[in-house]
Amino acid sequence: MSEEKSLTAVMDMIESLYTAVSEAWGVPLGNDKCIIEREVMLKTLNDIKAALPSELSEAKRLVSARDEFIGNAKREAESIRKNAEDTARSMIEKQEIVRVAKAQSAEMVANAEYKSKELRRVASEYVDDILRRTEETVAEALKAVNQSRASFRTLAGAAAASDDKTTENADEENSAADDE
């Protein structure tokens, strides 16, 4: 019998007990006393008693499974947070990009510690948020490195063009001197 059907059956049995007692014949001169069929009541009570333990054990199993899931999610989130810290520490430490990355990493760690306190409520949201922030930090660092590289190439190209122009002018002067 499924959980829902079993619970419905228990509720139906309790309702039938209530109906039987409320509709039972009253005892003369006993305002709060009534006559009920003992065998019917005992059978109904035994049926309820037999159905409840399975419901209770199922509820205990669900609570235990929930606690295990929460524990696993908390451990996984802590591992992800630690990996994010380690990645941020291992970045190149001699450039301005690193200073910015460390500041953002510290912010991410602070956010991670705050969110770990709320992990029972938002475990999956926390994991998504910390991974997104790490990706943004790395993307910003990569963007800055690419911009520095492009600037370097531009400067190197300009210097090479200047050297070529100087050599060309010297060749023209030498050629003009030879013609004279």
Side-chain angles (χ1 to χ4, degrees):
M1 185 182 297
S2 75
E3 296 171 27
E4 193 172 309
K5 287 181 182 178
S6 179
L7 184 58
T8 303
V10 169
M11 293 305 292
D12 287 345
M13 286 184 266
I14 291 172
E15 185 63 32
S16 72
L17 280 176
Y18 182 82
T19 302
V21 171
S22 66
E23 293 177 358
W25 291 29
V27 175
L29 302 175
N31 295 337
D32 292 336
K33 297 183 185 195
C34 63
I35 298 174
I36 57 171
E37 292 182 47
R38 178 178 291 149
E39 290 302 317
V40 172
M41 291 298 120
L42 289 175
K43 182 187 179 314
T44 304
L45 288 171
N46 283 332
D47 290 346
I48 291 172
K49 200 165 61 167
L52 281 180
S54 65
E55 293 296 321
L56 293 176
S57 65
E58 181 62 20
K60 285 179 184 176
R61 187 192 66 75
L62 290 174
V63 167
S64 176
R66 183 203 65 190
D67 289 345
E68 183 179 343
F69 172 78
I70 288 170
N72 289 340
K74 192 172 188 177
R75 283 188 295 277
E76 184 177 345
E78 182 61 27
S79 173
I80 289 168
R81 184 187 64 82
K82 186 176 181 330
N83 287 341
E85 288 175 358
D86 292 345
T87 300
R89 266 191 233 108
S90 69
M91 294 176 76
I92 302 168
E93 295 191 3
K94 295 183 180 180
Q95 299 176 10
E96 179 64 15
I97 297 167
V98 173
R99 187 189 64 74
V100 171
K102 282 184 177 182
Q104 289 176 344
S105 175
E107 180 182 329
M108 286 177 10
V109 168
N111 284 338
E113 288 172 355
Y114 172 74
K115 288 182 183 245
S116 69
K117 292 176 185 173
E118 299 175 334
L119 187 60
R120 286 179 182 265
R121 187 176 59 85
V122 291
S124 64
E125 291 175 13
Y126 168 77
V127 171
D128 289 343
D129 185 54
I130 198 71
L131 289 175
R132 180 185 53 78
R133 288 174 186 244
T134 301
E135 183 179 352
E136 289 172 359
T137 300
V138 171
E140 287 178 23
L142 181 60
K143 182 179 176 183
V145 168
N146 286 337
Q147 288 174 347
S148 296
R149 185 174 178 203
S151 296
F152 174 76
R153 284 185 175 171
T154 301
L155 291 174
S162 174
D163 287 347
D164 288 347
K165 186 72 172 172
T166 303
T167 303
E168 188 178 296
N169 286 343
D171 288 345
E172 287 177 9
E173 287 177 9
N174 287 338
S175 178
D178 288 341
D179 287 343
E180 288 179 5

